[in-house]
């Protein structure tokens, strides 16, 4: 009795092969008039001001970090770059600079984490791969460092810094193989003869 005829949609359902009806969207609420009567909200102005202020503070912290790094004060550089990152979490250069500062302190795990973040944020920027390679070399992971430098050279083939880093990573591998041979009296597993 209340069943639809064969092939007809049930009550309230669309016919077979037809899309669901789309409800009409509610109109956007009207902007409340502001003191100047323009009707535009000042919240976007406030947001723009806040963003500009954060960008300025981040740039100042970056500048202080660069100065500290140049002076060899790596702990201060890390602190300044960390402050800059708190205000601009999408700036790959800040992660690169902090990575270099951590590497200078011998904190290669932290340097690697920042280098990887830098590469994720800017995969077409070779310097990030150089930071990653340096951190991996510091961790004694020469093979992975070579891969990082090669990835960097794939995006910046003319980079002398990446070429130099690659040579250092390969030299670190050879030195590790030599230490192994000296210690054990035989070639390291996987070492080329």
């Amino acid at each position: 009795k209340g069943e639809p005829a064969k092939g007809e949609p049930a009550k309230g359902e669309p016919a077979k092969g037809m899309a669901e009806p789309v409800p009409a969207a509610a109109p956007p609420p009207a902007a409340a008039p502001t003191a100047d009567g323009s009707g535009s909200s000042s919240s976007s102005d406030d947001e723009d001001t806040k963003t500009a202020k954060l960008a300025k503070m981040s740039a100042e912290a970056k500048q202080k970090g660069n100065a500290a790094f140049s002076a060899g004060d790596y702990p201060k550089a890390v602190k300044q770059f960390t402050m800059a990152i708190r205000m601009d979490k999408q700036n790959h250069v800040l992660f690169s600079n902090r990575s270099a500062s951590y590497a200078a302190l011998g904190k290669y795990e932290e340097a690697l984490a920042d280098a990887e973040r830098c590469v994720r944020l800017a995969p077409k920027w070779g310097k990030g791969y150089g930071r990653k390679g340096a951190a991996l070399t510091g961790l004694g992971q020469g093979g992975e460092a070579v891969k990082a430098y090669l990835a960097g050279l794939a995006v910046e083939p003319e980079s002398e810094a990446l070429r130099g880093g690659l040579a250092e990573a390969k030299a670190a591998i050879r030195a590790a193989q030599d230490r192994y041979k000296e210690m054990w009296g035989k070639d390291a597993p996987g070492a080329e003869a």
Side-chain angles (χ1 to χ4, degrees), residues 34-116:
T34 57
D36 65 359
S38 66
S40 66
S41 171
S42 66
S43 65
S44 66
D45 293 341
D46 292 345
E47 199 62 36
D48 290 346
T49 302
K50 181 180 177 185
T51 301
K53 186 177 179 182
L54 285 175
K56 181 180 179 202
M57 291 168 56
S58 177
E60 289 171 359
K62 177 187 175 197
Q63 187 176 26
K64 289 177 183 177
N66 288 341
F69 187 90
S70 294
D73 189 351
Y74 305 119
K76 183 176 180 182
V78 166
K79 183 178 179 180
Q80 292 298 323
F81 292 130
T82 299
M83 288 173 49
I85 288 168
R86 285 183 183 149
M87 294 174 259
D88 188 357
K89 292 175 176 57
Q90 299 303 309
N91 187 334
H92 63 283
V93 174
L94 298 175
F95 287 97
S96 172
N97 291 358
R98 190 171 69 175
S99 176
S101 301
Y102 277 134
L105 290 168
K107 295 183 175 186
Y108 298 112
E109 291 287 340
E110 292 90 339
L112 178 59
D114 277 354
E116 288 176 336

